[in-house]
Amino acid sequence: MGVTLARAAQWTAAGSGTGTLEITPLNKSLLNQIIKFAEEFSTKHPQEAAYVFREPLEWKTQLDSSAFGEGYEINEATVQSEAKDKDGQPLLILSASTLRVRSFDQLSRLLQVAMGKKLKEAQACLEANRDPAVKILGPEYGTVEGEDMSILHLFDKVKKESHLETELKMKIILLLHQLDLQVLNSSLKQISQDGRLNPAAVNNEVNLLKNLSGQGEDTVLESLEYTSDYMFSNGCRAPPWRQVHGEICYLAIKPHDTDPLYITCSTAGVFLNGGQLKGKDIDYERKSDLYKDIVTFLRERSPRFVENMAKQEYRFFKEPAHKKNYQHVEGVEISGQLQNFHDFTENRRKGKVCGKGKSSSAGPPGERSKPCMKWKSSGLSAPHIDNAPKKDSEEKGKSSTVPLTTKKKASGKSKTVKIQEASKCKASSSLEDVGESSSETDEDEQPVRRQEGNTDLSAEYWGIQKLAKYVKGGDPTATVIALCSIRDFNLSQETCQLAIKDTGCLEVLINLLDTEEIKCQAGSLKILKEISQNVLIRHAIADLGGLEIMVKILDSPDTNLKCLAAETIANVARFKRARKTVRQHGGIKKLVELLDCISVGSSYQAKDTETARCGALALWSCSKSTKNKKAIRRAGGIPLLARWLKCSHTDILIPVVGTLQECASEPSYRLAIRTEGMIENLVKNLSSEHEELQMHCASAIFKCAEDEETRDLVRKHEGLQPLSDLLGNSENKQLLAAVTGAIWKCAISTENVLKFQEYKTVETLVTLLTDQPEEVLINVIGALGECCQEQENRGTIRRCGGIAPIVKLLTATNQALLVNVNKAVGGCAMEPENMLIIDSLDGVRLLWSLLKNPNPDVQASAAWALCPCVENAKNSGEMVRSFVGGLELIVNLLKSKDKEVLTSVCAAIANIAKDEENLAVMTDHGVVPLLSRLANTNNNKLRRHLAEAIAHCCMWGSNRVAFGETKAVAPLARYLKAKDPLVHRATALALYQLSEDPNNCVIMHENGVVKLLLAMVGSTDDALQEAAAGCIANIRRLALATEKAKYG
């Protein structure tokens, strides 16, 4: 079903988050087919229906417990199925509007229970589980781009071992695959029947409506205007990042009888958007149904429009004449641009180079200036050429059979064909570019265009220009000699690199890769490998289809050619579009195969090591894309990388570790790195003499140490001391950032902190608090924040003079840095001596000011840090009151929607409320109703601190009564059923204070607290024991007083 949801379903494009399913005819049809499949599953496939999912399908449901009947155990708002798995766990659980289902049988039953809400439930389920196969069968069966080998692997497993569960999995995955095909086919039929708008059709309709608009009584509209005057070469007025969603333009329409309307014209149709925001921004979210054109939309919205249209002599309500020309979103026509590009390169080859300051494609003087050309490089303005010139295609067909000399003479035509093919490929995949993600910024995604000119050109430039004609027109021998001569130049110089590009030699070098002359291919690759260090040339190689040919060369029997191709791919694939091209043409699998050498594990031959090194370099570049990381894993790359990690050759280790640290951002890779025993080798290489290898090993540990098991393994393999020793190399900032990051994450475990104490790591970290870049400071402060949870380290930081630089960093602007600084200040403030220094440096005021920061993480960490500050400061009550508007600010944060902010603020309020005057001020600011509003939470951490805040806020005036009136008592009573003893303690204290009011005692008694508190009277926790006993005593005294008043 993942394929269906990814390719056929229509998801909301605008807005934040992962998107939701739009309510369109196509989606309704898709949902109904999936519902039918799930409903009939238990009757058609009873054995498979009983299969228990790997993980439950979980979503927010609109059903409540009243909808369930026979076959379910119902306890108030909680529902469990009577059917259970072999461990006794129910296969369906409904709790607090969250539904979890673990078998197809229960899915079928649920749809029968849902009745009229089937569509909504199916929609909610699919929105929450975008790839259901992962939950049903496991992560190895997730939807992937390109060739999916999961079914074949499963089939092999079935053949090897006859296991019932494996056979069931095989049948289920085939049934899901069959459903995907069925839904995709029906979706294609429906899409093909729908007419689609194009820029020309929209423009014609707008012009006609403009002619009929104005201030007169008989005009159809008051006004109709585009929101943007600029029109791109493809006819669209929408910005390029919206064009990829099929949007053409945006219109502001003012009818005679309604409010102004802001609409979006897209290839799918016309719809109402959210209108213009402040400034010139547009709310792109769809706010209405889709209409086939603007006239149809306006007919639904404006009666006056319909009336006045009937008076016009034009018959607009008929089907527009341009309906037949509707095309797909990529159907933009810029063939003229391709011709201009071809003419430009031809003129350059003939010596017609533009003079300084002039553009070869300059238009008339009055033409509007165009925006940044970076959109062309990303493929957003490229055409979808349906009818390529027949002549070109015939020449392309012949080009593979003509001799090498002929091929070079026809390089002009061949080049044109390649450019057109590249543009065609870019256009057809422009929508998919949106789904491509990268783990780091593509710094060279938009190359800087250098100014064209023919002045100040070096001798090397002219020398390469002379050799270029021999490369283009010579026989194979002359071509090889010319290539060798070009290699004699210093190709690392930009002048030489651009000379090859400017003379048209780059296109010929790429054509040479497609010949059968191995020497020509090798010579071309050696040059391309050197010059592809240049950003412009990398993009040009990708545009000319060079990557596709290099991927084919990876199948060559010649090892040297494969190595050269892989190294060149490693250089070119430094930007997103290139990485995507490598993946789409099967390059990832071929690169992984380069790592699979026979001699690995026994003796490392130089030939094998070089092949693996080149493959690892290319994988390293490609692994910056999330989809490529998954492709490497599915191609079996992890075990091979693990085997090469045991090698002692630095040349191979650097790209292997580089690839691993890049991929370690994915949880599946972190698990594999741990289970394949790679942590030991990463720790071992921390002691290498090569700083780059040390950096990548530390970076890999930094990412992997998010998991507790990995932190334990680093300690077990004695990796903490080498990390501490590497802090001494403060000159290499990249290495320092990686090492401090690894220390930070390892310090999350208390056992590791004790080891760091032995190695004097804290003292060294304090010395790194000044004169360091932000990426180092974030990690240093993070490590100190973890270390100062231990009392000894808090004293060490003070003695080493670390508190002042830490407090100074509270004025930073980097959000990640502020979060870590807040935690470090809060940790230090647990010592009264440290608190004196923090207070003298105005640290508490700086922390309080961070509560105004818009980032919830910064707000939460600041509130947590204030707790020990208020608790350990001298005259803390007076200090808090000295902050103008401070108490109002922290009370207003109880309106936040972030759970961590609410929890931390409740904890801070509990400490602040210990001062009576501060409590009085907070009461005036409405702290009681705001705390009561949070009482219905299910989050145990929030429950604990909320109960503590309520307990302390009861100490002023009539707050106890107010809590009862704002209905906070009954939800608190339910907290006693939680399993967390800390929640029990805080709740008992709150209930004890609330029980001083008789009305609250009645509510508590009605909610059954006496029985729960009686069990807690025997607790070993003295505070809990006393609070529980005191609450019961208050309730009992009220009961006795009532009886006495009643019976005398």
Side-chain angles (χ1 to χ4, degrees):
M1 279 189 279
V3 178
T4 298
L5 296 177
R7 298 184 183 174
Q10 296 171 332
W11 297 86
T12 53
S16 59
T18 56
T20 57
L21 284 168
E22 296 181 318
I23 303 303
T24 62
L26 178 63
N27 279 353
K28 284 182 181 177
S29 171
L30 180 150
L31 288 171
N32 284 325
Q33 289 181 70
I34 293 174
I35 288 169
K36 184 180 177 184
F37 170 84
E39 279 184 323
E40 297 175 353
F41 198 94
S42 59
T43 52
K44 287 185 176 180
H45 314 286
Q47 194 175 12
E48 289 76 18
Y51 174 80
V52 178
F53 298 164
R54 178 76 69 86
E55 292 180 38
L57 295 176
E58 182 176 332
W59 69 94
K60 292 291 182 182
T61 181
Q62 295 184 1
L63 301 175
D64 55 27
S65 57
S66 62
F68 295 85
E70 188 179 350
Y72 299 94
E73 299 172 359
I74 303 170
N75 181 15
E76 295 180 357
T78 305
V79 178
Q80 294 185 358
S81 64
E82 292 179 355
K84 293 180 171 55
D85 63 10
K86 60 184 180 182
D87 298 323
Q89 296 297 318
L91 298 177
L92 181 146
I93 299 175
L94 170 62
S95 176
S97 79
T98 299
L99 191 59
R100 298 178 183 85
V101 181
R102 299 177 59 213
S103 75
F104 280 111
D105 182 59
Q106 289 300 320
L107 268 181
S108 300
R109 290 170 178 268
L110 178 69
L111 289 170
Q112 292 170 12
V113 167
M115 293 188 291
K117 296 182 180 178
K118 288 179 188 176
L119 206 64
K120 287 288 183 185
E121 290 301 310
Q123 181 183 350
C125 176
L126 295 177
E127 284 173 355
N129 305 276
R130 293 286 283 267
D131 197 354
V134 172
K135 297 283 187 74
I136 295 169
L137 300 169
E140 62 271 26
Y141 301 99
T143 305
V144 295
E145 290 294 326
E147 189 179 7
D148 187 355
M149 305 297 291
S150 57
I151 297 178
L152 294 178
H153 292 323
L154 189 58
F155 184 71
D156 289 338
K157 196 173 180 182
V158 170
K159 285 198 297 184
K160 289 177 184 175
E161 55 184 65
S162 180
H163 193 275
L164 178 61
E165 185 178 353
T166 310
E167 290 177 6
L168 285 177
K169 276 189 179 182
M170 184 71 188
K171 291 176 184 176
I172 290 170
I173 199 171
L174 289 173
L175 289 169
L176 292 176
H177 184 63
Q178 187 179 1
L179 173 65
D180 270 332
L181 292 176
Q182 177 187 333
V183 174
L184 286 171
N185 285 334
S186 65
S187 300
L188 280 173
K189 285 181 184 177
Q190 189 162 344
I191 290 169
S192 63
Q193 290 168 3
D194 293 339
R196 300 180 74 81
L197 289 175
N198 63 16
V202 172
N203 192 47
N204 289 341
E205 194 173 12
V206 169
N207 289 337
L208 289 169
L209 287 172
K210 274 187 174 182
N211 291 334
L212 301 175
S213 300
Q215 296 300 323
E217 290 184 359
D218 292 332
T219 56
V220 296
L221 299 167
E222 281 189 26
S223 65
L224 181 147
E225 298 294 339
Y226 290 109
T227 58
S228 170
D229 291 328
Y230 182 78
M231 182 165 69
F232 289 84
S233 56
N234 58 4
C236 294
R237 294 172 188 262
W241 60 89
R242 299 305 304 173
Q243 288 183 36
V244 297
H245 299 300
E247 293 176 6
I248 298 169
C249 66
Y250 310 98
L251 299 172
I253 301 174
K254 192 173 181 184
H256 288 291
D257 53 348
T258 66
D259 292 333
L261 303 170
Y262 294 89
I263 68 169
T264 299
C265 298
S266 71
T267 56
V270 176
F271 58 86
L272 189 71
N273 60 41
Q276 282 192 314
L277 305 172
K278 290 182 181 178
K280 294 186 178 179
D281 292 332
I282 293 173
D283 181 358
Y284 300 108
E285 192 72 46
R286 200 176 93 187
K287 305 293 184 183
S288 73
D289 293 333
L290 275 171
Y291 297 85
K292 67 177 183 179
D293 52 33
I294 303 170
V295 171
T296 308
F297 171 83
L298 290 170
R299 288 180 69 185
E300 294 290 328
R301 297 276 168 173
S302 171
R304 179 82 174 273
F305 175 86
V306 178
E307 180 185 339
N308 287 352
M309 280 295 286
K311 299 175 184 178
Q312 307 302 324
E313 59 184 8
Y314 301 101
R315 301 184 64 185
F316 284 92
F317 293 115
K318 290 187 176 180
E319 282 288 7
H322 49 70
K323 172 89 174 181
K324 296 175 183 176
N325 296 324
Y326 283 9
Q327 299 174 7
H328 195 263
V329 60
E330 292 90 84
V332 286
E333 300 173 4
I334 57 167
S335 56
Q337 291 180 9
L338 290 176
Q339 187 60 41
N340 290 342
F341 180 77
H342 173 57
D343 293 342
F344 173 68
T345 52
E346 286 299 314
N347 290 338
R348 290 282 299 279
R349 288 172 57 196
K350 293 173 184 176
K352 297 180 183 178
V353 182
C354 300
K356 187 175 180 180
K358 292 183 180 180
S359 169
S360 62
S361 58
E367 186 179 9
R368 186 184 288 112
S369 59
K370 294 187 178 181
C372 176
M373 297 300 288
K374 67 182 182 178
W375 302 113
K376 282 189 180 181
S377 69
S378 62
L380 293 176
S381 60
H384 180 76
I385 306 169
D386 292 319
N387 300 310
K390 188 174 181 182
K391 184 178 177 182
D392 283 349
S393 60
E394 287 174 357
E395 287 173 358
K396 184 189 173 198
K398 293 176 184 175
S399 66
S400 61
T401 58
V402 295
L404 184 64
T405 310
T406 311
K407 193 164 195 173
K408 296 208 180 85
K409 287 180 180 176
S411 62
K413 293 179 183 177
S414 176
K415 173 178 64 179
T416 309
V417 174
K418 284 185 178 295
I419 295 168
Q420 288 180 344
E421 286 177 343
S423 300
K424 189 173 182 179
C425 175
K426 284 191 287 181
S428 63
S429 62
S430 61
L431 286 176
E432 192 176 337
D433 281 335
V434 182
E436 181 78 12
S437 61
S438 175
S439 59
E440 62 179 42
T441 306
D442 291 309
E443 71 284 350
D444 57 355
E445 179 63 24
Q446 313 303 339
V448 179
R449 307 293 178 184
R450 71 186 182 98
Q451 189 174 7
E452 300 294 342
N454 57 357
T455 58
D456 302 327
L457 296 177
S458 64
E460 288 89 349
Y461 186 96
W462 298 115
I464 289 175
Q465 190 179 49
K466 289 177 184 177
L467 287 169
K469 62 183 179 182
Y470 296 106
V471 176
K472 294 177 185 177
D475 59 19
T477 304
T479 300
V480 171
I481 293 170
L483 292 173
C484 292
S485 300
I486 290 176
R487 286 199 64 215
D488 289 338
F489 288 93
N490 184 2
L491 296 179
S492 62
Q493 287 184 354
E494 188 180 23
T495 306
C496 298
Q497 295 167 351
L498 295 175
I500 292 171
K501 180 176 180 291
D502 293 347
T503 55
C505 194
L506 184 60
E507 293 92 327
V508 181
L509 288 173
I510 291 172
N511 275 344
L512 287 174
L513 298 180
D514 216 4
T515 66
E516 295 180 359
E517 293 286 338
I518 291 179
K519 290 182 180 178
C520 289
Q521 288 178 308
S524 175
L525 282 170
K526 285 176 181 177
I527 294 172
L528 289 171
K529 184 184 79 171
E530 297 295 329
I531 65 174
S532 57
Q533 301 288 346
N534 184 287
V535 178
L536 285 169
I537 290 176
R538 283 204 286 272
H539 283 259
I541 290 171
D543 291 340
L544 295 168
L547 277 170
E548 292 90 325
I549 302 172
M550 290 179 210
V551 169
K552 287 181 184 176
I553 291 174
L554 295 175
D555 288 327
S556 169
D558 190 293
T559 304
N560 184 42
L561 273 183
K562 289 195 288 189
C563 290
L564 288 169
E567 280 192 276
T568 312
I569 288 171
N571 290 338
V572 178
R574 293 182 188 175
F575 63 101
K576 186 160 61 177
R577 181 161 51 87
R579 293 194 286 269
K580 177 182 170 185
T581 301
V582 174
R583 184 183 72 249
Q584 289 183 329
H585 288 81
I588 300 295
K589 185 177 179 182
K590 294 175 184 179
L591 290 169
V592 169
E593 287 172 356
L594 293 182
L595 300 177
D596 194 5
C597 301
I598 297 171
S599 60
V600 174
S602 51
S603 61
Y604 294 95
Q605 297 179 8
K607 186 178 179 182
D608 293 337
T609 304
E610 178 61 17
T611 305
R613 183 188 72 83
C614 297
L617 277 171
L619 288 173
W620 188 5
S621 293
C622 292
S623 65
K624 290 178 174 63
S625 159
T626 303
K627 290 184 179 179
N628 284 354
K629 291 173 188 174
K630 295 177 182 176
I632 293 169
R633 177 170 57 81
R634 297 192 71 84
I638 296 177
L640 294 172
L641 289 168
R643 287 159 66 187
W644 278 109
L645 191 58
K646 298 172 183 175
C647 174
S648 58
H649 298 283
T650 306
D651 289 345
I652 177 68
L653 280 173
I654 288 174
V656 165
V657 178
T659 306
L660 285 171
Q661 67 88 15
E662 197 67 56
C663 293
S665 57
E666 295 288 314
S668 57
Y669 273 91
R670 294 202 293 270
L671 175 64
I673 288 170
R674 187 170 72 245
T675 54
E676 292 278 350
M678 291 189 242
I679 297 296
E680 182 178 1
N681 298 107
L682 290 173
V683 167
K684 175 185 172 185
N685 288 312
L686 286 173
S687 304
S688 167
E689 296 177 358
H690 297 268
E691 288 187 356
E692 187 179 1
L693 178 57
Q694 291 175 324
M695 178 189 72
H696 292 310
C697 288
S699 184
I701 291 171
F702 174 26
K703 293 178 181 178
C704 292
E706 293 281 353
D707 307 319
E708 185 180 356
E709 295 90 338
T710 302
R711 297 195 291 270
D712 294 340
L713 284 172
V714 174
R715 182 178 69 255
K716 177 184 173 184
H717 295 300
E718 300 179 349
L720 300 178
Q721 185 161 9
L723 285 172
S724 299
D725 294 341
L726 286 171
L727 289 175
N729 190 347
S730 59
E731 298 300 318
N732 187 334
K733 300 303 180 185
Q734 285 184 315
L735 173 59
L736 191 59
V739 169
T740 51
I743 290 173
W744 170 21
K745 295 301 178 182
C746 288
I748 296 172
S749 296
T750 307
E751 297 87 347
N752 291 348
V753 173
L754 297 175
K755 284 288 183 183
F756 285 136
Q757 285 175 203
E758 291 178 25
Y759 306 140
K760 307 293 182 185
T761 307
V762 175
E763 289 89 331
T764 312
L765 287 170
V766 170
T767 64
L768 298 174
L769 286 171
T770 52
D771 302 323
Q772 298 296 339
E774 277 189 344
E775 58 267 23
V776 174
L777 281 175
I778 290 169
N779 297 340
V780 169
I781 291 288
L784 287 172
E786 296 297 339
C787 289
C788 68
Q789 302 304 311
E790 292 293 316
Q791 184 177 0
E792 184 179 333
N793 292 329
R794 295 196 285 270
T796 302
I797 292 171
R798 182 183 68 254
R799 289 191 295 274
C800 294
I803 293 177
I806 291 175
V807 171
K808 187 178 179 181
L809 288 172
L810 287 170
T811 58
T813 55
N814 184 295
Q815 307 290 313
L817 177 59
L818 284 173
V819 170
N820 286 355
V821 173
N822 290 341
K823 184 170 183 178
V825 171
C828 290
M830 287 190 269
E831 290 290 317
E833 291 180 53
N834 292 353
M835 188 55 224
L836 287 172
I837 302 172
I838 292 169
D839 194 18
S840 67
L841 295 168
D842 216 10
V844 182
R845 184 186 62 79
L846 291 172
L847 276 175
W848 214 289
S849 67
L850 288 176
L851 295 174
K852 299 177 185 176
N853 193 292
N855 188 314
D857 293 333
V858 176
Q859 290 177 340
S861 58
W864 282 122
L866 284 172
C867 294
C869 289
V870 173
E871 190 174 343
N872 294 307
K874 286 187 176 179
N875 301 320
S876 63
E878 188 177 336
M879 176 189 72
V880 170
R881 285 192 296 281
S882 69
F883 304 134
V884 178
L887 290 171
E888 183 180 5
L889 172 63
I890 201 161
V891 169
N892 283 334
L893 280 177
L894 289 172
K895 299 173 184 176
S896 172
K897 294 181 179 178
D898 187 277
K899 284 283 172 65
E900 191 64 21
V901 172
L902 293 172
T903 306
S904 58
V905 168
C906 285
I909 287 173
N911 281 285
I912 295 166
K914 292 174 184 177
D915 181 90
E916 195 174 73
E917 290 184 45
N918 289 340
L919 176 55
V921 175
M922 288 195 294
T923 302
D924 291 341
H925 288 305
V927 72
V928 171
L930 288 172
L931 288 173
S932 299
R933 196 177 67 174
L934 303 175
N936 284 306
T937 182
N938 291 320
N939 184 300
N940 278 341
K941 189 176 180 184
L942 176 55
R943 281 177 165 185
R944 172 194 167 190
H945 293 288
L946 174 61
E948 287 177 355
I950 290 173
H952 287 96
C953 287
C954 285
M955 303 295 187
W956 174 256
S958 59
N959 282 359
R960 292 186 180 89
V961 178
F963 278 120
E965 290 172 351
T966 51
K967 300 182 180 179
V969 180
L972 273 176
R974 292 197 291 272
Y975 291 8
L976 295 174
K977 297 178 182 178
K979 295 180 180 178
D980 188 345
L982 294 174
V983 174
H984 293 166
R985 181 181 183 181
T987 305
L989 289 167
L991 291 174
Y992 172 55
Q993 293 298 330
L994 290 167
S995 66
E996 297 290 336
D997 176 60
N999 291 327
N1000 291 342
C1001 287
V1002 173
I1003 297 169
M1004 291 179 202
H1005 190 272
E1006 289 173 352
N1007 284 273
V1009 299
V1010 175
K1011 184 178 179 182
L1012 296 167
L1013 288 171
L1014 280 171
M1016 295 176 188
V1017 170
S1019 170
T1020 54
D1021 184 336
D1022 292 344
L1024 172 57
Q1025 190 182 67
E1026 289 178 16
C1031 184
I1032 292 170
N1034 286 338
I1035 295 171
R1036 182 60 185 156
R1037 273 195 289 272
L1038 175 65
L1040 289 172
T1042 305
E1043 285 182 16
K1044 187 175 181 181
K1046 187 174 181 180
Y1047 301 109

